[in-house]
Amino acid sequence: VGGLLSSTNYELYVREICGRGDTSIWIGPVNFATTCVLSTLPFNEGFSANFPICWTRTNSADVFTTAACGGSTNESLQIFGVPGSYAESPPIDITGASVVDVKYLYRKGFSSDCGETADNGDNINVEYWDGSAWNVVHNYDGSTAPTVFTPDSFTVNVSSFTGPFKIRFFYVQGS
């Protein structure tokens, strides 16, 4: 099958044609995704409708997108309080960039509209990959984080990076 777009989900249906008027029933769908290509700057993720196919996560029960989080005009990423749960961006090509600016909105779960209320010690790290290790740039304590979407950002000097840049939202407990 040719002409498929990269980073895209597809459904495939198949049937056999044995001769004129002699065909099998359709079999399918067989679901598959095409290979993700290296993302480029500027990079934007709105977490629309479904979890992005080129992002990675621990599992779909603890890390997912939702439109049910009050105060959001879009879908949002939600991570439940299971230590080690994370959502990680695809690799982003930073060739030619000297700095990368990252901007996002965050809030804690609060009542039934946006997940359960955070407990003391529930923390989310915002991290970036420098080619060899994850670096924590922000740690949000669930007991003091805002209950409304709040903008935050960070800037990373990437002039000495030798590979792609990635962002990760990582749940840690009791830090």
Side-chain angles (χ1 to χ4, degrees):
V1 177
L4 301 179
L5 300 173
S6 63
S7 310
T8 305
N9 288 318
Y10 286 96
E11 291 183 346
L12 175 69
Y13 294 83
V14 179
R15 75 176 179 175
E16 184 176 14
I17 299 175
C18 301
R20 178 173 271 175
D22 184 14
T23 59
S24 67
I25 63 169
W26 286 102
I27 303 296
V30 174
N31 297 308
F32 68 97
T34 52
T35 304
C36 296
V37 296
L38 190 62
S39 297
T40 58
L41 294 174
F43 177 80
N44 181 47
E45 180 56 63
F47 296 107
S48 61
N50 297 307
F51 192 82
I53 65 169
C54 294
W55 281 63
T56 56
R57 60 183 166 179
T58 43
N59 64 64
S60 61
D62 299 325
V63 182
F64 54 92
T65 59
T66 180
C69 200
S72 174
T73 56
N74 296 320
E75 297 278 327
S76 57
L77 174 67
Q78 189 166 348
I79 301 176
F80 272 138
V82 177
S85 296
Y86 67 86
E88 181 181 313
S89 77
I92 303 164
D93 183 8
I94 54 172
T95 302
S98 57
V99 297
V100 171
D101 294 315
V102 178
K103 299 175 183 176
Y104 56 93
L105 301 173
Y106 76 102
R107 68 169 278 181
K108 69 178 175 180
F110 185 68
S111 71
S112 63
D113 76 334
C114 193
E116 62 187 49
T117 301
D119 297 322
N120 289 337
D122 285 349
N123 290 264
I124 292 282
N125 285 346
V126 178
E127 307 168 331
Y128 71 88
W129 178 254
D130 67 6
S132 62
W134 288 103
N135 300 270
V136 177
V137 289
H138 291 291
N139 174 272
Y140 300 108
D141 183 331
S143 62
T144 59
T147 58
V148 296
F149 283 102
T150 304
D152 207 346
S153 64
F154 62 93
T155 299
V156 179
N157 181 335
V158 296
S159 58
S160 64
F161 283 30
T162 57
F165 180 83
K166 294 190 283 187
I167 301 162
R168 181 169 73 172
F169 300 93
F170 188 83
Y171 177 85
V172 290
Q173 187 171 27
S175 57

